[in-house]
Amino acid sequence: MTTTLTCGLPIRTPVRHWPAVVAAALATTVTVMPGFAVGALAPAIEADLHVSRTAVGLVISAFYAATAVGSPITKRVAARLPAPAVFAVAAVIACAVMLAVSQADDLATMTTVLVVGGLSNGLVQPAAGRLIAARVPEHRRALAAGAVGAALGAATLVPGLLVALVLPGYGWRTAMLIAGLIALVPVVLTPLTGVPRGAGPAHAGQVATRRGINGVLVLWALAAALSATGNNAVATYFIQLGTRSGLPATVAGDLLSLSALLAVAVRLGAGALTDRAPRRNSAVITTMMLTGGLGLVLIAIGTPVTFVFGSVLAFSAGWGWTGLLLATTLRLVARKAENAGHTVQIGIYTGATVAPYAFAGLAGAYGFTGAALIAAIAAFAGAAAMTAGALLARRIE
């Protein structure tokens, strides 16, 4: 058996695929932004609503939990609806969620609307996987998946800028309101994301049904969950970790935005490079997860210098594998491309569900240093699971 994408969906529009990929990436960015926005603005929310860090962490976890738990259902919905409709609806809901959060006066209301946002967020990764498999040439799919994966990095960019530029003078509610309005921008581009009618398997291959494929997907979803647990915790509490390391809040906000830009660049660069040798993707992903774990160790040290270097590693390498994992999974399940997005999504958002609440609880029990070290251990365990999945994939080729 071969795991190349020659068994994938036929490429109907090879010339015009990049506008569709960019539109999908922007929509994916804004749909995940509510979770990161609440995390970045958490200190101000805690002070205004007189709630604890753990309580806000639980609220953030509800957003990611809705994405993970609802993923089996949203995968089926995304597979049946036109891709432009999926991306447009998800972006509009994200806008409505952040506008509602900006007006919330209690955590119950905030949690309710974030759960709705988390469910709609679950629509986009399966739709993106279907779009890439149908419209992007196989020698560009890692780059295209990297662009979609860059959404997780880009989604921290706007909250970081809002913390630095809006929060000091206008408060967290205005910052959240602006974030909500920004979420409407990709809606006008979603018509570009159409998938040709009748796009189906080019061959009858056995890629999606070969024994052992499910085991690989489970291991890779576990790897994504473990690595995402550590890195999402740092992204969620970046401002607080930065200030505890000795950086002013505005500087930490600027650093969050710069780190997000770096994460986007790494995803795109890694995708472009690995398109030349796609069979090495799993090794590259494992290396990135290990490097991200090292960045978390540096963050745990808690000095301004180690925090800066650790942030660079955690955001660039620690988050840089998401697009590659989507591309790698597509090679295994190209005939059911929505399953690739589902695998990556359920792994990442399971980790993201655990991260905010667990990190807040661990920080309360062991301090931020202890919590960051535990996050690093989770990243290292994710690398081990990724390696195990890659070894199993080789046996069934």
Side-chain angles (χ1 to χ4, degrees):
M1 160 185 153
T2 177
T3 54
T4 63
L5 282 173
T6 55
C7 293
L9 299 174
I11 301 163
R12 306 295 178 90
T13 54
V15 177
R16 298 292 298 169
H17 60 273
W18 287 122
V21 171
V22 171
L26 291 174
T28 305
T29 297
V30 300
T31 57
V32 74
M33 202 161 64
F36 287 114
V38 173
L41 298 169
I45 294 174
E46 293 163 13
D48 184 37
L49 300 184
H50 306 289
V51 294
S52 68
R53 181 192 308 130
T54 302
V56 175
L58 186 59
V59 170
I60 300 169
S61 291
F63 173 82
Y64 298 116
T67 300
V69 174
S71 187
I73 297 174
T74 54
K75 177 189 71 172
R76 294 183 177 88
V77 173
R80 287 169 171 76
L81 293 177
V86 171
F87 292 121
V89 169
V92 170
I93 292 176
C95 167
V97 165
M98 287 187 280
L99 293 182
V101 168
S102 73
Q103 303 303 311
D105 291 320
D106 57 82
L107 291 186
T109 301
M110 196 176 294
T111 302
T112 301
V113 296
L114 283 173
V115 166
V116 174
L119 288 171
S120 68
N121 181 48
L123 295 169
V124 293
Q125 287 286 346
R130 180 158 57 103
L131 183 150
I132 291 171
R135 295 189 57 176
V136 179
E138 61 182 275
H139 66 284
R140 287 289 181 264
R141 283 177 176 164
L143 178 56
V148 173
L152 287 173
T156 64
L157 175 62
V158 172
L161 290 173
L162 293 175
V163 168
L165 302 177
V166 179
L167 179 63
Y170 301 96
W172 73 269
R173 294 184 185 275
T174 300
M176 188 67 72
L177 178 66
I178 293 173
L181 295 176
I182 291 173
L184 289 176
V185 173
V187 175
V188 298
L189 301 176
T190 54
L192 299 173
T193 61
V195 174
R197 284 182 177 271
H203 304 286
Q206 305 177 52
V207 175
T209 58
R210 174 74 70 165
R211 177 185 295 180
I213 290 294
N214 286 341
V216 177
L217 296 182
V218 169
L219 285 169
W220 284 353
L222 176 62
L226 289 168
S227 185
T229 296
N231 291 292
N232 184 275
V234 170
T236 301
Y237 293 100
F238 190 91
I239 305 299
Q240 295 177 66
L241 285 166
T243 55
R244 286 180 175 272
S245 297
L247 297 176
T250 54
V251 174
D254 290 336
L255 182 59
L256 176 59
S257 299
L258 292 174
S259 298
L261 288 174
L262 179 61
V264 171
V266 168
R267 283 174 172 84
L268 296 176
L273 291 174
T274 54
D275 268 327
R276 302 178 181 179
R279 295 178 66 85
R280 298 179 181 177
N281 280 6
S282 58
V284 175
I285 294 169
T286 300
T287 302
M288 284 184 161
M289 288 180 174
L290 290 172
T291 305
L294 176 60
L296 295 174
V297 171
L298 292 175
I299 288 174
I301 295 175
T303 68
V305 173
T306 59
F307 180 80
V308 171
F309 280 105
S311 300
V312 169
L313 292 180
F315 271 82
S316 60
W319 268 126
W321 50 263
T322 54
L324 289 183
L325 183 57
L326 175 58
T328 305
T329 310
L330 273 172
R331 298 181 71 237
L332 288 177
V333 292
R335 294 179 68 240
K336 293 186 177 180
E338 66 275 7
N339 286 349
H342 169 68
T343 297
V344 176
Q345 176 170 277
I346 200 168
I348 290 175
Y349 290 111
T350 296
T353 299
V354 174
Y357 183 71
F359 192 85
L362 290 170
Y366 304 107
F368 276 89
T369 296
L373 287 175
I374 294 173
I377 293 172
F380 294 142
M386 185 68 206
T387 300
L391 292 174
L392 179 58
R394 289 176 186 172
R395 293 177 189 171
I396 61 179
E397 286 181 355

